[in-house]
Amino acid sequence: MKPITDPLLHHEPFMQRALYLATVGLGNVSPNPMVGAVIVHNGKIIGEGWHQKFAGPHAEVNAINSVQNQDVFKESTIYVTLEPCSHHGKTPPCADLLISHQFKTVIIASEDPNPLVAGKGIAKLKAAGIEVATGVCSDKAKGLNRRFFTNFELKRPYVILKWAQSADGFIAPGLNYSREDKQLSNALSQQLVHKWRAEEDAIMVGYNTLLFDNPKLNVRLLETDRQPTRITWDEKGMPAGNHHFFDGSLNSFVFNHTRDDQTSSHRNIQIPLDDNSLATLLSRLLKEDIGSVIVEGGTKLLNRFLSHELWDEARVCTSPKIYKEGIMAPGISLQPVENFKLLEDDWRVYFKDK
């Protein structure tokens, strides 16, 4: 057997720890990326931190502040899941901070796709005489921040499609079904969906779904300090009705083709009515700092995202219920990358580019 000679392999356990720390920021730091940092001296972790809240201190700052004796930084390595920033934003540049503490080595999982950084942080560190290595656990780091990378590389929010369907492939039954029968997913699945809602910037439904199902589109089944923005697309210019969407309790956007104004309950955002309307909608969302959106129906809207290939991930719940009639669920021809069960509910997760 050939010996393992890659000098970066021994860095992986520390970077794995930094990646785990980064995940704690999910749902709290957008539109910033999730970042974790670990400081190692003589082979032992002496400090760690993560980006905890948007506009708050970055991971490097929190890791440095967790160490009492900072004189050892000159002989220490800091592991960071994303390239340290090199520009003044909500906080000062982290690259400058690492330079000021004279870290011996900086190990970086992936470069920052933001043009304001994009290699400039690494260049600063190297110019200051700090040893820099990149690419440790880079695929996992990019997967962790797939929303952030999508924002810069595709110039749109990260799009998650989510729906529940009956065992015979219907997303909704016929007219003669009770409200209880229309609920496909079980209580555990509903809790999971609310957790997912808390992790994304926005929830979107079609206008017919809004009118007929009257969803609240919020997080209710777990504690959260952050509610997603509610979004719908009114293609026909229907007046606002007595629906939860228009109760004024949450930030809410109605995309339409005639009005661009603010009401007491929601904001109207006008987009052109053409073949590129959906792409334009997503572009406008990104300008509103919406970095991710979970689309929860109905079938027409879900199929539009699928047919235009303007999606990144799909999460599909299949219930054991049989409808025999109703509205057909969307279809995905890809193989799922993940499959799990919550009691009788069968969940499958798809990624468009995998």
Side-chain angles (χ1 to χ4, degrees):
M1 181 180 294
K2 291 182 65 176
I4 297 175
T5 58
D6 187 342
L8 295 181
L9 285 178
H10 73 278
H11 294 300
E12 285 194 7
F14 298 120
M15 188 62 79
Q16 293 280 10
R17 174 61 181 171
L19 286 166
Y20 168 76
L21 293 170
T23 64
V24 183
L26 181 59
N28 296 313
V29 301
S30 178
N32 283 352
M34 293 173 279
V35 182
V38 168
I39 300 172
V40 175
H41 180 252
N42 289 337
K44 294 183 179 181
I45 295 176
I46 61 169
E48 55 186 30
W50 64 94
H51 186 27
Q52 299 176 9
K53 194 174 183 63
F54 174 68
H58 287 185
E60 298 94 323
V61 176
N62 289 328
I64 286 170
N65 289 341
S66 72
V67 179
Q68 189 170 17
N69 179 17
Q70 299 186 353
D71 292 336
V72 300
F73 288 162
K74 296 178 182 179
E75 296 299 324
S76 298
T77 296
I78 184 168
Y79 294 80
V80 189
T81 58
L82 191 70
E83 177 182 2
C85 59
S86 56
H87 66 291
H88 284 270
K90 298 289 184 183
T91 61
C94 289
D96 291 355
L97 178 67
L98 301 184
I99 292 169
S100 70
H101 283 286
Q102 299 179 307
F103 274 90
K104 180 180 180 181
T105 309
V106 179
I107 309 294
I108 299 166
S110 66
E111 293 186 18
D112 193 325
N114 185 343
L116 294 174
V117 186
K120 298 181 181 70
I122 293 172
K124 262 191 174 185
L125 294 170
K126 288 183 175 180
I130 294 175
E131 180 184 357
V132 179
T134 60
V136 179
C137 304
S138 61
D139 288 343
K140 290 183 179 180
K142 290 177 181 178
L144 172 69
N145 275 317
R146 56 191 182 273
R147 297 162 182 81
F148 186 69
F149 278 84
T150 296
N151 297 167
F152 284 98
E153 293 174 354
L154 300 181
K155 305 295 190 292
R156 63 164 174 79
Y158 187 84
V159 177
I160 300 169
L161 309 180
K162 191 280 298 178
W163 71 86
Q165 61 189 25
S166 64
D168 52 348
F170 292 96
I171 198 172
L175 298 176
N176 298 321
Y177 280 75
S178 67
R179 187 175 184 88
E180 181 178 331
D181 287 333
K182 290 180 180 179
Q183 179 63 55
L184 282 163
S185 55
N186 62 36
L188 272 180
S189 289
Q190 291 168 45
Q191 290 178 36
L192 176 62
V193 169
H194 278 249
K195 176 181 180 294
W196 286 341
R197 287 180 174 184
E199 293 171 353
E200 310 306 332
D201 293 341
I203 305 174
M204 183 176 184
V205 294
Y207 208 71
N208 285 337
T209 298
L210 185 155
L211 294 178
F212 295 113
D213 293 350
N214 193 20
K216 293 183 179 180
L217 302 181
N218 60 8
V219 180
R220 302 183 302 280
L221 301 184
L222 72 158
E223 291 291 329
T224 180
D225 295 327
R226 178 173 173 267
Q227 290 284 350
T229 295
R230 300 183 293 199
I231 301 167
T232 192
W233 184 1
D234 175 17
E235 296 182 78
K236 299 179 180 179
M238 302 288 286
N242 185 26
H243 296 80
H244 295 305
F245 189 96
F246 301 109
D247 62 12
S249 64
L250 296 177
N251 194 29
S252 304
F253 296 160
V254 176
F255 283 87
N256 68 97
H257 309 299
T258 59
R259 300 176 60 186
D260 203 345
D261 56 26
Q262 178 72 51
T263 75
S264 59
S265 64
H266 66 279
R267 180 178 167 190
N268 290 302
I269 300 178
Q270 185 178 0
I271 56 173
L273 179 58
D274 55 33
D275 292 339
N276 296 318
S277 291
L278 186 56
T280 302
L281 183 155
L282 291 174
S283 177
R284 286 295 304 272
L285 282 178
L286 191 60
K287 291 180 180 178
E288 299 293 334
D289 284 337
I290 301 294
S292 64
V293 56
I294 184 164
V295 183
E296 296 196 1
T299 299
K300 180 181 176 182
L301 183 64
L302 289 165
N303 278 327
R304 182 169 287 181
F305 276 96
L306 287 166
S307 63
H308 284 77
E309 295 193 348
L310 290 171
W311 66 284
D312 302 286
E313 187 176 339
R315 303 169 182 175
V316 182
C317 173
T318 300
S319 164
K321 288 184 178 180
I322 301 292
Y323 279 161
K324 297 183 180 180
E325 62 176 352
I327 301 173
M328 291 298 299
I332 293 181
S333 58
L334 302 175
Q335 290 296 314
V337 297
E338 185 180 355
N339 190 326
F340 61 93
K341 293 186 74 72
L342 290 178
L343 299 179
E344 71 275 10
D345 287 352
D346 180 46
W347 280 93
R348 299 190 178 192
V349 181
Y350 303 82
F351 287 93
K352 182 168 71 71
D353 294 326
K354 288 190 178 182

